[in-house]
């Protein structure tokens, strides 16, 4: 499929790195260059990467977060993403997929002795497996790999697993931007959302991942996976 052209995808990821740099977002984004190099090394001309070292640092609290006296935040993103050898319009193009999002809250930038964390996990299930609970093909789940802070009166459940389309690094960044960064405190949020470069790469990732996913729910869709 032409939408998965490797060179175009590398260009989009590089644009994301430029946008983050241009708007002076604090954090560790060395993972962007790492995955570009990883994709370029792939002999099969396929997009295949393991994203780590992607962290956004925010000075200030997240609205509605508890405890409410946390004034420094780190948002860490991990993403494993690999395409199949044969890109067929009627099957899921992803061979391997997982995404982990961890948000850590601290008293202040200078006091990071204790982190209060919240995590989400997005992955896919093998269709032939038999589960006790409903597992949508792609689903997002609260908690995930790590959840250190538990209030004595708080319970963490493994369900529900909520249907959610897969996200690559670009769509995941957009998810973070819209859900966890206060646009009233950080002017770069609206500035990025209105940046034509950003709109273009976001639209490209939407076409690659979300258009076929949602079209799969049409009653007469011939898709074998997105149903």
């Amino acid at each position: 499929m032409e939408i998965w052209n490797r060179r175009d995808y590398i260009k989009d990821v590089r644009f994301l790195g430029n946008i983050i740099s241009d708007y002076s977002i604090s954090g560790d984004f060395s993972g962007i260059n790492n995955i570009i190099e990883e994709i370029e090394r792939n002999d099969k001309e396929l997009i295949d990467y393991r994203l780590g070292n992607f962290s956004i640092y925010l000075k200030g609290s997240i609205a509605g977060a508890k405890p409410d006296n946390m004034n420094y935040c780190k948002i860490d993103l991990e993403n494993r993403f690999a395409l199949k050898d044969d890109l067929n319009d009627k099957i899921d193009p992803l061979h391997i997929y997982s995404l982990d999002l961890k948000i850590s809250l601290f008293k202040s930038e200078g006091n990071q002795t204790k982190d209060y964390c919240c995590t989400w996990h997005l992955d896919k299930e093998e269709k032939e497996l038999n589960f006790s609970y409903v597992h949508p093909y792609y689903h997002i789940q609260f908690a995930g790999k790590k959840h250190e802070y538990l209030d004595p009166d708080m319970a963490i459940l493994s369900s529900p697993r909520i249907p959610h389309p897969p996200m690559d690094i670009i769509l995941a960044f957009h998810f973070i931007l819209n859900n966890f960064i206060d646009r009233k405190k950080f002017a770069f949020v609206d500035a990025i959302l209105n940046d034509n470069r950003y709109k273009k790469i976001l639209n490209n990732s939407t076409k690659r991942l979300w258009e076929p996913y949602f079209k799969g729910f049409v009653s007469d869709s011939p898709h074998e996976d997105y149903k």
Side-chain angles (χ1 to χ4, degrees):
M1 289 184 288
E2 185 61 29
I3 57 172
W4 286 112
N5 180 279
R6 184 171 70 160
R7 288 166 183 79
D8 289 343
Y9 192 79
I10 290 173
K11 186 186 301 182
D12 286 355
V13 173
R14 188 171 281 121
F15 264 131
L16 177 64
N18 293 341
I19 289 167
I20 289 172
S21 176
D22 290 348
Y23 289 101
S24 303
I25 301 176
S26 297
D28 173 12
F29 304 105
S30 56
I32 291 179
N33 288 331
N34 293 341
I35 68 172
I36 289 174
E37 293 173 2
E38 193 172 353
I39 295 171
E40 288 177 332
R41 288 196 303 267
N42 191 337
D43 294 334
K44 294 183 179 180
E45 293 286 321
L46 293 172
I47 297 165
D48 187 336
Y49 69 74
R50 188 186 302 273
L51 173 66
N53 298 322
F54 189 99
S55 304
I56 298 172
Y57 305 156
L58 300 173
K59 293 182 180 180
S61 60
I62 291 183
K66 301 292 182 183
D68 56 10
N69 60 341
M70 301 290 107
N71 295 300
Y72 189 68
C73 173
K74 288 184 179 179
I75 303 175
D76 297 306
L77 174 65
E78 297 179 5
N79 184 204
R80 181 70 177 95
F81 192 101
L83 292 181
K84 295 178 180 178
D85 288 351
D86 56 334
L87 292 173
N88 184 325
D89 288 341
K90 295 183 180 180
I91 62 173
D92 180 5
L94 296 180
H95 169 55
I96 302 172
Y97 183 83
S98 68
L99 182 146
D100 286 282
L101 181 63
K102 177 187 174 187
I103 300 178
S104 301
L105 305 178
F106 304 91
K107 290 280 188 182
S108 66
E109 185 176 6
N111 182 0
Q112 299 184 33
T113 55
K114 170 62 180 175
D115 66 322
Y116 297 82
C117 76
C118 192
T119 61
W120 284 264
H121 180 67
L122 172 62
D123 65 3
K124 62 183 289 187
E125 294 292 352
E126 298 297 333
K127 293 180 294 182
E128 65 271 14
L129 298 180
N130 185 24
F131 295 100
S132 300
Y133 299 98
V134 173
H135 284 59
Y137 186 47
Y138 279 100
H139 61 262
I140 193 166
Q141 178 185 3
F142 178 70
K145 286 185 176 179
K146 185 178 181 183
H147 201 99
E148 290 179 342
Y149 173 68
L150 294 178
D151 186 273
D153 297 322
M154 185 178 184
I156 298 296
L157 306 178
S158 63
S159 294
R161 292 167 170 83
I162 302 168
H164 196 288
M167 297 186 286
D168 65 348
I169 179 177
I170 295 168
L171 290 167
F173 176 78
H174 191 67
F175 181 86
I176 293 169
L177 202 65
N178 280 280
N179 286 284
F180 303 112
I181 305 179
D182 191 338
R183 64 184 61 203
K184 293 180 180 178
K185 293 181 180 179
F186 300 95
F188 67 75
V189 175
D190 283 334
I192 290 176
L193 294 177
N194 290 306
D195 189 309
N196 286 330
R197 297 173 301 168
Y198 183 72
K199 290 179 181 179
K200 181 177 180 180
I201 64 172
L202 183 64
N203 183 59
N204 290 343
S205 279
T206 300
K207 286 183 177 180
R208 293 180 184 113
L209 286 164
W210 285 8
E211 282 191 8
Y213 176 88
F214 286 108
K215 285 179 180 178
F217 290 94
V218 177
S219 59
D220 61 349
S221 170
H223 209 284
E224 298 176 18
D225 294 316
Y226 296 151
K227 292 188 175 181

